[in-house]
């Protein structure tokens, strides 16, 4: 089974590309969504976050997002501390998930088949060191003004807020140089054809 990482800066359209992969029957693991789930459900994460932030990290068994946000903004190093707790758990969870996707049953029977490709959507794939969990990396990119407009509209955010988030990520040039494949998502290029071409290369199809 081939594991493909899909990354890209804010507003690049990596989720759009991942949805097109889903349309092709490729399962996609969303690191952001699963990290939120694990922060709520994983007892080891809960214990470590409580040790780091205090018992107020959870209220009535639920993650106290304002307390976590307050801790994050208190110091630039605090984000690294939380990532040091959450990222390893997400890595382990993805590997387990990918193994499960490789064994599925057809028609409810007992015949197991291998899923040829699974994908991981991860905004901070290189920053978090997640590239070692996949066999190939696709970077989705677009002109910075296109990304800015998309992100401001999607998140109802100001330019300054989006710029601050961009500064926390590697720039497109660095991501492209470190990726195996890249997709331009500027609103003009043919996304479907780019995806099909890359999938053929990844699976060694003619």
């Amino acid at each position: 089974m081939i594991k493909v990482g899909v990354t890209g800066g804010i507003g690049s359209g990596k989720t759009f590309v991942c949805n097109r992969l889903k349309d092709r029957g490729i399962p996609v693991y969303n690191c952001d969504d699963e990290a939120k789930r694990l922060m709520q459900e994983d007892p080891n994460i809960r214990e470590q976050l409580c040790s780091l932030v205090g018992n107020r990290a959870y209220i009535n068994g639920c993650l106290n997002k304002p307390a976590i946000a307050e801790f994050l903004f208190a110091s630039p190093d605090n984000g690294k501390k939380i990532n040091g707790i959450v990222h390893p758990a997400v890595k382990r969870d993805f590997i387990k998930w990918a193994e499960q996707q490789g064994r599925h049953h057809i028609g409810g029977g007992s015949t197991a088949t291998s899923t040829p490709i699974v994908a991981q959507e991860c905004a901070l794939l290189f920053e978090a060191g997640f590239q070692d969990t996949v066999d190939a990396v696709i970077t989705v990119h677009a002109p910075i003004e296109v990304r800015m407009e998309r992100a401001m509209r999607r998140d109802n955010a100001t330019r300054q807020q989006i710029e601050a988030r961009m500064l926390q990520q590697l720039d497109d040039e660095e991501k492209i140089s470190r990726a195996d494949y890249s997709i331009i998502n500027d609103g003009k290029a043919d996304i479907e054809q780019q995806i099909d071409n890359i999938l053929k290369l990844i699976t060694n199809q003619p």
Side-chain angles (χ1 to χ4, degrees), residues 145 148-149 152 157-164:
E145 278 305 315
M148 181 70 69
E149 291 176 9
M152 289 171 61
T158 66
R159 173 175 288 269
Q160 289 74 22
Q161 289 172 324
I162 300 302
E163 287 176 344

Side-chain angles (χ1 to χ4, degrees), residues 139 141-142 144 147 170-179:
T139 288
H141 61 101
I144 192 165
R147 292 173 51 204
L170 293 175
D171 61 34
D172 280 353
E173 290 75 14
E174 179 68 17
K175 287 180 183 287
I176 292 169
S177 70
R178 297 175 64 175

Side-chain angles (χ1 to χ4, degrees), residues 46-60:
R46 293 169 71 96
E47 180 180 352
Q48 292 181 73
L49 284 179
C50 285
S51 297
L52 186 65
V53 181
N55 291 333
R56 65 195 186 99
Y58 292 86
I59 296 179
N60 297 324

Side-chain angles (χ1 to χ4, degrees), residues 120-153:
Q120 173 195 114
E121 179 180 347
C122 187
L124 301 176
L125 185 140
F126 292 117
E127 294 89 333
F130 277 41
Q131 69 271 20
D132 61 6
T133 66
V134 296
D135 303 301
V137 174
I138 300 171
T139 288
V140 185
H141 61 101
I144 192 165
E145 278 305 315
V146 173
R147 292 173 51 204
M148 181 70 69
E149 291 176 9
R150 287 173 179 166
M152 289 171 61
R153 182 170 59 250

Side-chain angles (χ1 to χ4, degrees), residues 4-6 18 28-29 31 94 118-122 125 130 133-134:
V4 179
V6 180
C18 283
V28 177
Y29 180 98
C31 285
F94 168 73
V118 296
Q120 173 195 114
E121 179 180 347
C122 187
L125 185 140
F130 277 41
T133 66
V134 296

Side-chain angles (χ1 to χ4, degrees), residues 175-186:
K175 287 180 183 287
I176 292 169
S177 70
R178 297 175 64 175
D180 300 286
Y181 308 96
S182 67
I183 289 176
I184 176 68
N185 182 25
D186 58 0

